[in-house]
């Protein structure tokens, strides 16, 4: 079945440094990939969604490129901010027409001053 | 505009007692509906999804059940709560089209004592 693998656990870095959170997936079909962000005591919100035409989605300084050859959709930002501290989920959907959304286990990002 | 409402916002329940959590989507007909669970400090786990009234697919049951009595309503319930049921329950919806983003409700925080 479909699956998503993310950078495990906690990623800690200093404000101003670049961010990269890994996401790889396995799917028989060509799914769409998403990044969701969840701040403390809030519901997850969409951060990015992959495009079909290889465009690179960007939002709030974050970007991710879908690489079908390596089945990856890594999340990147050039300079981390304190407010980026949150839980980040990579997810895929649209595979095999089941309408099921598959989430990775999540990566907690902690940005320190 | 579509809105998603979850109830209650929070619950404190005793082990062995019944539970019913609800979710209503307004402004969107025939949405796909989802229940997710998140242990305190943990990651998102999909429990159930539904693409139409009366039809619910189980992903992980955790001694819970779900029903969709109306097009805009999704119910999560159990007759006997366990300590392990504590956590954050999120309802979400997508359009009836593949590859669509999830819209999450604000969630219900459940504490089982």
């Amino acid at each position: 079945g479909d699956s998503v693998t993310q950078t495990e656990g906690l990623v800690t870095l200093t404000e101003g440094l670049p961010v990269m959170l890994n996401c790889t997936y396995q799917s028989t079909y060509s799914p769409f990939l998403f990044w969701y962000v969840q701040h403390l005591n809030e519901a997850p919100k969409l951060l990015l969604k992959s495009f079909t035409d290889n465009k690179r989605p960007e939002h709030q300084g974050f970007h991710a490129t879908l690489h079908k050859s390596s089945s990856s959709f890594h999340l990147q930002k050039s300079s981390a901010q304190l407010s980026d501290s949150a839980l980040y989920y990579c997810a895929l959907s649209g595979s095999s027409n089941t309408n099921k959304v598959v989430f990775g286990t999540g990566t907690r990002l902690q940005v320190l001053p | 505009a579509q809105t998603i409402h979850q109830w209650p916002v929070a619950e404190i329940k005793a082990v062995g007692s019944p539970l019913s959590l609800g979710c209503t989507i307004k402004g969107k007909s025939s949405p796909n509906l989802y229940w997710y669970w998140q242990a305190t400090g943990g990651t998102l786990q999909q429990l159930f999804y539904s693409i139409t009234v009366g039809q619910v697919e189980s992903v992980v049951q955790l001694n819970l059940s779900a029903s969709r009595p109306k097009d805009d309503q999704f119910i999560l319930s159990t007759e006997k709560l366990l300590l392990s049921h504590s956590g954050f329950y999120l309802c979400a919806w997508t359009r009836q089209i593949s590859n669509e983003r999830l819209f999450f409700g604000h969630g219900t925080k459940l504490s089982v004592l």
Side-chain angles (χ1 to χ4, degrees):
Chain A
D2 297 340
S3 66
V4 176
T5 302
Q6 293 185 235
T7 302
E8 291 277 333
L10 176 66
V11 171
T12 302
L13 47 78
T14 304
E15 186 179 17
L17 291 181
V19 178
M20 181 157 168
L21 304 182
N22 291 336
C23 173
T24 57
Y25 65 91
Q26 284 189 319
S27 177
T28 307
Y29 299 87
S30 294
F32 276 71
L33 274 294
F34 302 80
W35 277 101
Y36 288 86
V37 58
Q38 185 181 24
H39 289 93
L40 193 61
N41 296 323
E42 295 182 6
K45 297 176 184 175
L46 179 69
L47 183 60
L48 294 171
K49 176 185 174 182
S50 65
F51 288 110
T52 54
D53 56 2
N54 296 321
K55 287 182 183 175
R56 189 179 80 170
E58 296 193 28
H59 185 62
Q60 296 177 348
F62 285 95
H63 60 89
T65 303
L66 181 63
H67 291 289
K68 294 182 180 179
S69 58
S70 58
S71 298
S72 67
F73 191 57
H74 304 321
L75 183 67
Q76 295 178 272
K77 186 175 184 181
S78 59
S79 177
Q81 298 176 294
L82 295 175
S83 58
D84 294 331
S85 295
L87 189 55
Y88 291 82
Y89 289 101
C90 183
L92 68 80
S93 76
S95 179
S96 71
N97 296 318
T98 63
N99 294 300
K100 193 167 78 173
V101 180
V102 178
F103 279 81
T105 53
T107 302
R108 189 170 297 279
L109 176 65
Q110 185 179 49
V111 181
L112 303 176
Chain B
Q2 301 89 0
T3 59
I4 178 169
H5 174 60
Q6 276 189 249
W7 74 91
V9 172
E11 277 267 51
I12 299 175
K13 303 278 281 185
V15 170
S17 63
L19 173 76
S20 181
L21 303 181
C23 173
T24 299
I25 292 83
K26 295 298 183 186
K28 182 76 190 91
S29 62
S30 304
N32 292 336
L33 297 176
Y34 304 81
W35 277 112
Y36 286 87
W37 173 73
Q38 187 177 38
T40 302
T43 56
L44 277 174
Q45 188 165 14
Q46 187 173 357
L47 300 176
F48 300 94
Y49 70 95
S50 170
I51 61 173
T52 192
V53 174
Q55 185 180 25
V56 176
E57 297 292 331
S58 171
V59 179
V60 176
Q61 284 193 323
L62 299 180
N63 293 309
L64 296 166
S65 61
S67 64
R68 187 170 177 176
K70 301 178 184 178
D71 184 54
D72 64 353
Q73 197 174 72
F74 207 21
I75 307 295
L76 185 70
S77 61
T78 182
E79 293 186 359
K80 284 187 178 181
L81 278 166
L82 306 173
L83 285 174
S84 57
H85 285 136
S86 293
F88 196 43
Y89 289 84
L90 288 156
C91 180
W93 70 272
T94 66
R95 295 191 293 171
Q96 281 275 7
I97 304 171
S98 294
N99 316 319
E100 287 295 301
R101 57 164 291 184
L102 282 162
F103 294 87
F104 285 92
H106 288 293
T108 296
K109 185 171 182 180
L110 174 66
S111 298
V112 182
L113 307 176

